[in-house]
Amino acid sequence: MQKYFISSSDLIKNIILGDDVFHIKNVMRGRIGDHIIVSDEQQEYLVEITAIEKNKVKFDILKERHNQNELPVEVCLIQGFPKGDKLEEIIKTSTQLGITEIIPTLMKRSVVKVDFIKSETKTIRWNKIAKEASEQADRKRIPLVSPPKKLKELNFSHFTHKMVCYEESAKNNEQSNFKQVLSSLIKGDKLCVVVGPEGGLDEEEIIILEKQGFICCGLGPRILRTETAITYVLASVSYEVELK
Amino acid sequence: MQKYFISSSDLIKNIILGDDVFHIKNVMRGRIGDHIIVSDEQQEYLVEITAIEKNKVKFDILKERHNQNELPVEVCLIQGFPKGDKLEEIIKTSTQLGITEIIPTLMKRSVVKVDFIKSETKTIRWNKIAKEASEQADRKRIPLVSPPKKLKELNFSHFTHKMVCYEESAKNNEQSNFKQVLSSLIKGDKLCVVVGPEGGLDEEEIIILEKQGFICCGLGPRILRTETAITYVLASVSYEVELK
């Protein structure tokens, strides 16, 4: 069933505003009497559409819904800024797989020039992608995509676990660090995952991260593209902590 | 280092022919003296380029390379035919993650009309994508992408493990089947994974598969898109059987 994240104030007023109105009318071809799900990331309800106006959809609440689809651990991705529209793909896929936060980060081997001043429009777009992917995945929360940062600006002090996906680890037949990190996770932990851009992380960056307590992890023997690394990590986190 | 899969007969003759010549000359801007890796999926060598001609590159073998990057179990994907160019994305990503075989399969909810007669050109293209993704991932083997099939044409008798990714399992809070299947895998096993198209598998299809010994598995509580399901499965297989 289609889900829409709306603001808490709209939820109290039983209305949907903004782009979602267009989506209900033109994409879902919604009609009065249709059932949908609305959520303000705290409360979630099954509701019935009672009116479809030009810029507003009204609804009645039918019943509360208990959404427990969030990963038991928070995962923050520090993603080396990739080429083209790969970041959008990474946002879509990692949102489906339960990411909590994504920080697009300029690293030494990032080819793309990031215009930090103009990046506001992009950041709005990235968060819209995260909202739509969360709705599709039936998540309780929308991950936050932050504006682009530089690696040295970041503060890692609030994370309980810190790992960096490092191709050289895999080449050197390092096969145990990742499983060790994941098997020590418990509910409420905060895992920080660093993934390099296309050329991978620079050795100096690795040294800086290791000094901050990051553990270099290989993700199996094959060479993964930058956009695949976080999917490997998130699937493994879910496999390790959610499945029985 | 750039890798090229070539035929066994070209390997014996120490030559590279076909599209790879264009790639070496124009994409890699290769020169005499450059080192590359060549493989016929059996033997793999570090070689030095000794001549670059119009339609041929010649090389000398420097040393043999022992590639052990294949998953210890074979994984065959029966992929419900998806919309647009998603199949190409699935081939790229699942090749990186170690898939053995991909069978694009027409299922009840596949929206795309598959022209089985004209699909020969597409099958050639899909296998080219698999070859290039294998080269990038530094795999020993290239997965086989078969021409499109219908579900009822398929024979599952040679698989040791059979599972179907089923959204309804996840909704019904089924959390243990997938881990049970994966934890019973040993080296040399053959796992068959069925993934539905966008609308998911039809109930009748599930009944047919269950009769053939398939186990319905949930892949965590979130709803995954069809193109993400196999990445979840393959990452988990690698995590379970390759990492220590």
Side-chain angles (χ1 to χ4, degrees), chain A residues 24 27 161 205 210 228:
Chain A
I24 290 170
V27 181
H161 293 70
E205 290 171 328
E210 281 183 328
T228 312

Side-chain angles (χ1 to χ4, degrees), chain A residues 33 45 79 103 107 118 197:
Chain A
Y45 299 99
Q79 172 66 50
I103 306 179
M107 297 185 188
K118 285 190 189 161

Side-chain angles (χ1 to χ4, degrees), chain A residues 108-109 166 168 201-208 210:
Chain A
K108 281 204 174 171
R109 296 191 186 146
Y166 194 38
E168 297 302 319
L201 285 140
D202 181 89
E203 266 180 54
E204 270 184 47
E205 290 171 328
I206 290 288
I207 291 166
I208 293 169
E210 281 183 328

Side-chain angles (χ1 to χ4, degrees), chain B residues 9-28:
Chain B
S9 60
D10 288 351
L11 185 57
I12 291 167
K13 291 183 220 149
N14 286 17
I15 53 168
I16 298 171
L17 303 174
D19 292 346
D20 293 332
V21 176
F22 178 87
H23 192 272
I24 290 169
K25 284 157 73 168
N26 299 77
V27 182
M28 301 305 293

